[in-house]
Amino acid sequence: MLSIKNIPASLVFTLLVVLFVPCTTAAYGSPVAYDLAVSFDTKAAEITGTAKITIPKDQKLSLHLSNLQITGAIAEDEKGHTVIYQLPLPKKITIPAAATTQTISLSYRKHISGHGLNNISSQGITLLSDWYPQPEQKVRYTLQARLPQGFTAIAESETFPLPVHNQVATARSSRPLCAIHFAAGPYITNHKEVRPGLVLHTMFFPEDQALAESYLNKGATYIADYEQQIGPFPYNHYVIVANRLPTGLGMPTFTLLGQTVLRLPFITDTSLRHEILHSWFGNSVAIAQSSGNWCEGLTSYLADHAHRKEQQQGSQYRLETIRNYLSYAGKNSTLNLHNFHAAGHNGIKNRQHRAVGYDRAMMLFHELHEKIGDTAFRTALQNFFHRHTHSEASWDDLRKTFEESSQTKLATFFQQRLERTDIPSLGIGSAQVKLTCDGHLIRLTIQQHSNKPYEIVLPIDVETVEGHETFSSVISKQSETIELKTKGRPLAVAIDPEYSMLRQLDDTEYAPCWSSFLGSEDKLVVSATNSNRFAPLIKTLGDRSWNIKADQDIKNSALSTADLLFLGTESKACRSLFGKTPLPDEDFVLEVRRNPLNPKKVAVLINSESSEQSQQVARRLLHYGKYAFLQFAGHRLVASQLPTQGTGIHVEFETPLQGGITTELQDVEILAKQIAKHQVIYLGETHTSAADHHLQLQMIEAIAPQVEHPVIAMEMFPTSSQQALDSYIFSPETMSERQFLKASRYYEVWNYDFRYFREIFRFAQKHRIPVIALNLERNIVSQVFKTGSLDGLSDDQQQHLPENRNLALPGYSKRLSEVYQAHAHHSQGNPAGFIQAQALWDETMASNIANYLKKHPAATILVLAGSEHTRKDSGIPPRVAARLPVCQASVLNLSDSNIPDNLNELADYYFFADKTELPPQGKLGIILKETTEQEKTAIKITGFTKTSNAPEAGLHVGDIILSIDGFPIHAMADVHIAMLDAQPGKNYNVTYKRTEKDGEHIKTATVELIAPQALRGHR
Ligand SMILES: [Zn+2]
């Protein structure tokens, strides 16, 4: 019955249990009469009481006496038989049935310790649990309480205010109840008539009088509204009572709201409304013993959901509810709705149970409402209430009433949602549009991914050129094809756009929030070196599920398999995923991101300025689970952000058109002047596009003369090639091109034709422009890719890698996952390794550029790299910017590629360079393999292409190639160098070694070169 949603945790943390006392109704006969008389010693925090219980003949009675000090007990029957009980009594006693009426009298005292729900002080009294001998069945209570001077009291009663005579207040319940609850204090009462025969009261402390009016007004409005919707209020009065303890509880005829809770501005809209509604559902219509708890879901739907819907936030609230459910119960919930009875608020088990009992049930009622329509839904609620007022009802009773009002069979609907622990998982398999003579026809295949499909009424929204058209379709199979006719040309289709059911969210709808971590069963907590400032957080929130590790003990491979929490963003582990994170050092900041190594996991980054600051928020944090960003200054929330709102599962038929203004096109001279003003200029390429390389040359030619210190930086060489580059540029007389290619290991690292860069190198030599190598060693990249982590690298290798690596740049890990998926069938390794390897690559290039500029501040760097690396959004440029404030520009050629629709995120300048090709390279048509012969690598013939002239020239499979065109061959790279300028039709001499029976022979064959086959594009 309690709603503590939206109440900051600091105010409700002592509230642990639902006041749900399970008890039975006497099967027959008149009810037991229970006369309780109590008095208080507020100084000693003590209650003294006597209970006189009259048990009709043939009935037995069990009493719970735990936590009470029983000072006397006598039982008598009508014939005058008396039993005096021996003290002390056990925790539970049972008085057997007798042939006559029996009376049992107990006297007791109890000291209220100050923990839990009970309180006795001169400031006020609250008695909610274990404060009198508690019967196991419903009884009819009369309570007489001797009040301290100046106190007013409340308990479940037929009338209010309670009659007071000689300081003794009397409460009398007309109907049998499971339990009674009592509060008294120096209250001031106010009241408002809702309608004749129904009065709403407040009992607030004198200091809170200003609040009474708005509580009475709002409360009266809710009661009037719900009377309209459901039926007459089941009591003749209702009292809103302030409690010194921070509670939010609903009892028959009154609610107890914490004094600090009452003062929060939103409570009238949330908790008050929820508790008032419990008068109908929960208190008047109680939950049947045999049934699961239906009343929290129904109350959440008709109060909390209704409130947000009135604010035009219905679908937002449902998505928040779904996200909360997925965080706590989404993965492997074993609880179904049938078995939910009650749940407290704290601890992960309670949260899992609440996700089922509140969230799942709330969504059930919304789905049902949508399915049967408003009229049938409201009629059913009225009939259900009318039929079960002041008695009990079950899920089955609800189903029958809804079936009756809607004339629809709902057995499957309820059975699937009450008994199953999984939830629907939907997707669009395919979507096609056809033009027909009277409109457009959409053919949509809907898939259900769960083993057993659900029966669902699926809302569908189609966006057309003329506006939105909505449909709904019943689906019940694993895969179902639906046809929709629209008047306007369809642009996009969305299924379940307003979150009308509890279901799995697809990739575009899922957005991690703080509860995604809190609900995880796979938590890895990384504490930075100086982590004392987080101690209060670990103490309050941490439980056995928190696997806390110090930064230096974290293995790189562990980061991709868990939901991560970084306490302090300066740890090496944090910087290896997010670079140097710009979280503020002041205040307390919590930011939730996706784990870039595993899209199904989250990473939460927390910074706190001090241990005191952490202490101030630790308890409250649990109640902000739906947020993706939080900032507290002291105890004050100064900034917050929810995850983005989703709009259903989408397919688009047309992408938005883009265009440009032709008069804004510029000549290369003008653009080159502008571009030359930047200090780092990226010239992106598709590696096999001659046009892209020609544009690079033209840019270098145009920009180099305009700047003081031009430098060319190349992705194509690892830093270990730098010496060869320097020799080749500055002492070309000492090094031929073939020698350079061999010394720089060009063909070992890069597999693309060197002729693409030949003219650029000639220009650099002529003008003595340094060429610097940017890349890291290939074996590091491939090792990380294959093993999935950096753990296998040597300490020395690790030391030379950049520590700050940002894998969370916009779209970065998503883009790389897609590349990985596209190539997954022929690559080993794993996605996390692929993303880490690419990030190492990008960050190393960025770090080399930044380091060069730190040493040579006057330099202008022209970067030649693949166009994925030169992207402004997530390539090298933002990584250089994170290291050094410099002015950068990214240049792209569009004529050779598909024009991307996010061009402005990729590049600053674009050109339409003429298509061009390298001269065709003649081929020998030999299939070669690098082998080892006498401990040296050797190149062996393993086959020939169909059109090859080599077999005719005398070459055999198994021959070892020694030289081509006079160039010695020791490795595959040498073959590339030898063939660099080969022309089809020319004759090349091939010297080879052949092993025959009589020994080895060295021979030479003359092979006429054939024309190459078409190249495949690669970036
Ligand atoms: Zn409730």
Side-chain angles (χ1 to χ4, degrees):
M1 317 285 157
L2 76 176
S3 165
I4 27 192
K5 269 187 190 160
N6 300 322
I7 303 177
S10 57
L11 303 171
V12 289
F13 64 87
T14 55
L15 182 63
L16 299 170
V17 293
V18 178
L19 283 192
F20 185 64
V21 185
C23 69
T24 57
T25 313
Y28 55 90
S30 52
V32 171
Y34 194 122
D35 293 304
L36 180 62
V38 293
S39 61
F40 312 99
D41 180 342
T42 54
K43 280 208 187 85
E46 205 170 71
I47 174 176
T48 320
T50 56
K52 189 179 160 210
I53 307 164
T54 310
I55 311 168
K57 65 172 185 168
D58 300 332
Q59 286 192 40
K60 64 169 188 174
L61 180 77
S62 291
L63 287 170
H64 290 272
L65 307 173
S66 49
N67 305 315
L68 299 176
Q69 186 196 338
I70 303 295
T71 50
I74 300 175
E76 273 176 295
D77 68 12
E78 277 177 340
K79 289 178 185 154
H81 298 131
T82 305
V83 181
I84 301 176
Y85 285 85
Q86 198 80 41
L87 300 181
L89 289 176
K91 283 184 176 171
K92 179 182 167 182
I93 58 169
T94 301
I95 296 106
T100 71
T101 301
Q102 312 177 74
T103 309
I104 174 154
S105 303
L106 291 153
S107 57
Y108 71 96
R109 63 175 74 235
K110 178 182 172 87
H111 175 75
I112 302 301
S113 64
H115 296 292
L117 289 168
N118 296 334
N119 174 45
I120 295 180
S121 79
S122 59
Q123 299 296 302
I125 299 169
T126 312
L127 294 168
L128 301 177
S129 74
D130 292 340
W131 62 283
Y132 62 91
Q134 172 77 55
E136 251 181 17
Q137 66 193 56
K138 284 188 178 176
V139 302
R140 191 174 285 154
Y141 286 101
T142 304
L143 168 66
Q144 291 191 299
R146 177 167 296 280
L147 301 179
Q149 199 64 42
F151 273 34
T152 310
I154 173 108
E156 286 88 344
S157 175
E158 266 163 70
T159 53
F160 188 84
L162 302 182
V164 181
H165 189 68
N166 289 336
Q167 280 303 112
V168 175
T170 305
R172 215 180 290 276
S173 66
S174 51
R175 291 184 193 88
L177 295 172
C178 285
I180 51 164
H181 311 89
F182 177 82
Y187 291 115
I188 294 179
T189 58
N190 283 289
H191 70 272
K192 181 184 170 89
E193 193 184 64
V194 181
R195 56 162 168 77
L198 175 56
V199 184
L200 177 64
H201 305 261
T202 53
M203 283 173 72
F204 288 178
F205 295 108
E207 58 271 32
D208 295 321
Q209 277 318 292
L211 301 172
E213 195 184 339
S214 96
Y215 272 82
L216 289 173
N217 288 339
K218 284 261 184 171
T221 310
Y222 293 136
I223 293 177
D225 283 354
Y226 286 128
E227 284 204 317
Q228 279 279 316
Q229 280 186 46
I230 306 163
F233 191 77
Y235 311 101
N236 61 13
H237 67 271
Y238 191 73
V239 192
I240 306 163
V241 187
N243 187 2
R244 297 287 186 195
L245 299 176
T247 53
L249 300 166
M251 273 74 63
T253 68
F254 69 103
T255 178
L256 262 177
L257 294 173
Q259 182 180 25
T260 41
V261 177
L262 279 175
R263 294 171 180 169
L264 296 169
F266 48 82
I267 293 299
T268 49
D269 294 326
T270 54
S271 305
L272 177 69
R273 185 170 178 168
H274 183 108
E275 297 310 337
I276 284 179
L277 183 57
H278 269 314
S279 299
W280 282 267
F281 301 122
N283 288 326
S284 174
V285 185
I287 302 156
Q289 279 290 303
S290 58
S291 169
N293 179 338
W294 46 265
C295 92
E296 292 303 350
L298 185 57
T299 306
S300 297
Y301 182 56
L302 297 176
D304 307 59
H305 177 269
H307 169 64
R308 292 289 294 275
K309 198 179 166 207
E310 287 155 16
Q311 316 291 307
Q312 313 300 324
Q313 293 176 347
S315 81
Q316 165 99 32
Y317 181 68
R318 293 190 294 276
L319 181 55
E320 284 166 19
T321 304
I322 295 171
R323 284 181 176 147
N324 193 64
Y325 178 87
L326 292 175
S327 291
Y328 290 108
K331 276 156 210 137
N332 30 23
S333 172
T334 51
L335 180 70
N336 64 17
L337 256 179
H338 243 149
N339 290 318
F340 169 74
H341 297 289
H345 207 77
N346 288 359
I348 191 140
K349 264 276 165 299
N350 273 324
R351 287 169 169 266
Q352 285 171 359
H353 287 189
R354 285 178 74 88
V356 175
Y358 287 66
D359 297 341
R360 185 170 189 147
M362 191 284 276
M363 292 301 291
L364 180 151
F365 286 107
H366 179 72
E367 201 182 352
L368 180 63
H369 193 165
E370 297 288 296
K371 183 182 169 80
I372 64 173
D374 199 49
T375 313
F377 190 81
R378 294 200 177 283
T379 308
L381 287 181
Q382 288 165 6
N383 292 346
F384 176 70
F385 174 67
H386 179 74
R387 216 166 278 167
H388 301 284
T389 308
H390 297 306
S391 67
E392 293 168 348
S394 65
W395 277 113
D396 243 18
D397 296 319
L398 270 168
R399 174 182 58 76
K400 282 179 204 149
T401 326
F402 280 108
E403 282 182 334
E404 215 174 82
S405 72
S406 64
Q407 297 292 305
T408 310
K409 286 211 167 80
L410 295 170
T412 308
F413 178 90
F414 276 95
Q415 182 261 325
Q416 289 181 341
R417 282 150 192 83
L418 295 181
E419 281 170 25
R420 287 173 67 165
T421 54
D422 67 334
I423 60 173
S425 168
L426 306 177
I428 299 177
S430 70
Q432 287 147 4
V433 182
K434 234 170 53 184
L435 184 63
T436 63
C437 48
D438 59 342
H440 295 81
L441 184 75
I442 302 174
R443 182 166 288 151
L444 206 58
T445 307
I446 308 290
Q447 285 168 339
Q448 294 205 43
H449 304 303
S450 45
N451 288 340
K452 275 189 293 172
Y454 268 80
E455 192 180 297
I456 291 167
V457 181
L458 185 66
I460 303 168
D461 178 90
V462 181
E463 187 193 345
T464 76
V465 285
E466 285 163 30
H468 286 259
E469 297 181 33
T470 55
F471 303 86
S472 84
S473 209
V474 178
I475 57 165
S476 61
K477 299 199 196 88
Q478 215 114 39
S479 175
E480 228 152 314
T481 302
I482 300 168
E483 292 193 337
L484 309 169
K485 262 195 177 158
T486 63
K487 290 188 208 87
R489 190 175 83 249
L491 301 173
V493 63
I495 61 172
D496 192 24
E498 300 201 319
Y499 302 95
S500 61
M501 68 193 74
L502 182 66
R503 60 170 171 83
Q504 299 287 349
L505 299 175
D506 86 353
D507 239 25
T508 62
E509 299 169 296
Y510 171 76
C513 51
W514 172 223
S515 66
S516 317
F517 176 82
L518 291 173
S520 164
E521 290 181 342
D522 235 334
K523 299 186 182 92
L524 176 61
V525 182
V526 183
S527 72
T529 330
N530 173 25
S531 62
N532 286 345
R533 62 194 196 278
F534 301 107
L537 219 59
I538 296 173
K539 195 171 165 228
T540 308
L541 295 178
D543 55 29
R544 237 174 290 152
S545 72
W546 283 41
N547 174 19
I548 305 176
K549 285 258 159 73
D551 188 27
Q552 63 271 17
D553 300 331
I554 293 284
K555 284 206 153 175
N556 181 265
S557 53
L559 298 176
S560 62
T561 53
D563 290 295
L564 308 172
L565 172 62
F566 293 105
L567 297 175
T569 53
E570 69 273 26
S571 65
K572 220 177 134 183
C574 188
R575 285 185 294 122
S576 78
L577 298 183
F578 300 106
K580 212 163 168 275
T581 313
L583 279 196
D585 287 333
E586 302 131 20
D587 299 349
F588 180 96
V589 181
L590 180 154
E591 188 175 319
V592 186
R593 301 177 172 196
R594 280 186 197 233
N595 179 340
L597 296 178
N598 186 337
K600 300 223 170 354
K601 302 279 177 191
V602 300
V604 181
L605 285 64
I606 289 184
N607 245 350
S608 176
E609 64 175 36
S610 64
S611 157
E612 294 73 41
Q613 173 65 72
S614 301
Q615 179 71 50
Q616 297 216 43
V617 300
R619 284 195 187 284
R620 300 176 60 186
L621 272 186
L622 272 181
H623 293 259
Y624 289 87
K626 68 179 181 184
Y627 289 93
F629 178 84
L630 294 164
Q631 183 170 3
F632 292 91
H635 65 277
R636 206 160 47 87
L637 180 68
V638 292
S640 65
Q641 207 178 331
L642 291 165
T644 43
Q645 167 71 355
T647 47
I649 300 171
H650 266 268
V651 170
E652 268 159 33
F653 298 116
E654 291 181 18
T655 46
L657 267 182
Q658 277 196 322
I661 304 167
T662 54
T663 51
E664 288 183 356
L665 296 181
Q666 303 279 3
D667 289 342
V668 66
E669 291 80 22
I670 296 170
L671 286 177
K673 266 208 182 104
Q674 280 187 34
I675 297 170
K677 290 178 187 153
H678 299 85
Q679 216 184 347
V680 188
I681 298 157
Y682 299 89
L683 305 168
E685 63 172 60
T686 297
H687 299 315
T688 53
S689 160
D692 289 3
H693 292 98
H694 191 62
L695 176 65
Q696 291 172 338
L697 173 68
Q698 287 173 296
M699 283 287 107
I700 293 168
E701 285 170 346
I703 291 166
Q706 300 184 46
V707 300
E708 192 189 328
H709 179 185
V711 176
I712 297 168
M714 294 181 73
E715 180 199 3
M716 299 75 199
F717 296 94
T719 45
S720 57
S721 307
Q722 193 56 51
Q723 212 183 342
L725 282 164
D726 290 343
S727 303
Y728 188 54
I729 297 296
F730 296 112
S731 329
E733 64 286 352
T734 64
M735 190 180 258
S736 70
E737 185 185 81
R738 281 182 163 180
Q739 286 170 328
F740 162 65
L741 291 176
K742 208 159 160 60
S744 67
R745 294 161 52 235
Y746 176 83
Y747 277 111
E748 287 169 42
V749 177
W750 207 246
N751 247 321
Y752 302 98
D753 202 316
F754 181 70
R755 292 178 300 164
Y756 289 126
F757 300 109
R758 187 177 267 164
E759 274 192 273
I760 293 172
F761 271 92
R762 294 228 172 110
F763 184 84
Q765 286 171 322
K766 189 169 164 205
H767 299 281
R768 302 184 64 80
I769 298 173
V771 176
I772 58 169
L774 288 184
N775 219 332
L776 84 161
E777 296 304 322
R778 193 142 199 119
N779 59 343
I780 294 182
V781 177
S782 54
Q783 162 104 6
V784 171
F785 173 44
K786 273 184 209 146
T787 62
S789 79
L790 278 68
D791 295 339
L793 300 177
S794 70
D795 288 350
D796 186 55
Q797 281 173 320
Q798 299 235 23
Q799 245 161 37
H800 288 93
L801 296 174
E803 281 191 358
N804 294 343
R805 305 191 293 274
N806 192 349
L807 280 61
L809 284 168
Y812 189 62
S813 57
K814 184 165 181 271
R815 165 163 63 88
L816 293 177
S817 303
E818 283 165 11
V819 175
Y820 175 80
Q821 291 306 329
H823 295 93
H825 56 282
H826 58 72
S827 56
Q828 326 113 306
N830 67 44
F834 183 68
I835 291 166
Q836 294 230 67
Q838 292 291 327
L840 272 177
W841 196 333
D842 282 325
E843 293 287 358
T844 300
M845 292 199 276
S847 150
N848 288 336
I849 291 168
N851 289 342
Y852 191 89
L853 280 175
K854 281 177 195 159
K855 272 191 219 143
H856 309 90
T860 299
I861 303 193
L862 296 134
V863 181
L864 311 187
S867 56
E868 292 292 297
H869 298 299
T870 63
R871 292 172 68 124
K872 279 163 64 184
D873 59 350
S874 59
I876 311 170
R879 301 171 201 276
V880 170
R883 290 170 167 83
L884 202 66
V886 283
C887 197
Q888 311 185 78
S890 194
V891 179
L892 213 53
N893 172 31
L894 296 183
S895 66
D896 231 18
S897 56
N898 291 331
I899 297 174
D901 53 17
N902 56 343
L903 187 56
N904 66 333
E905 289 162 24
L906 305 184
D908 300 289
Y909 296 91
Y910 62 90
F911 288 92
F912 296 104
D914 282 344
K915 271 196 197 297
T916 157
E917 297 283 343
L918 287 175
Q921 202 173 42
K923 301 279 171 197
L924 289 164
I926 305 175
I927 300 162
L928 298 169
K929 194 182 154 194
E930 220 169 63
T931 62
T932 310
E933 293 272 317
Q934 287 144 15
E935 290 172 17
K936 276 187 184 165
T937 52
I939 297 301
K940 189 188 251 176
I941 299 177
T942 60
F944 300 95
T945 62
K946 267 186 198 158
T947 54
S948 176
N949 297 316
E952 210 172 291
L955 290 169
H956 289 182
V957 168
D959 292 346
I960 302 288
I961 309 269
L962 299 179
S963 78
I964 298 174
D965 192 30
F967 189 73
I969 303 296
H970 303 290
M972 205 63 99
D974 297 333
V975 179
H976 288 291
I977 297 171
M979 300 299 295
L980 191 58
D981 286 304
Q983 286 169 31
K986 283 233 166 169
N987 289 329
Y988 262 34
N989 286 336
V990 178
T991 308
Y992 60 95
K993 183 175 81 182
R994 180 172 297 164
T995 310
E996 290 177 317
K997 277 180 197 156
D998 55 345
E1000 289 180 349
H1001 300 271
I1002 294 183
K1003 298 180 181 183
T1004 298
T1006 303
V1007 183
E1008 190 191 329
L1009 303 185
I1010 53 169
Q1013 287 158 345
L1015 287 166
R1016 285 217 325 265
H1018 257 287
R1019 268 184 242 199

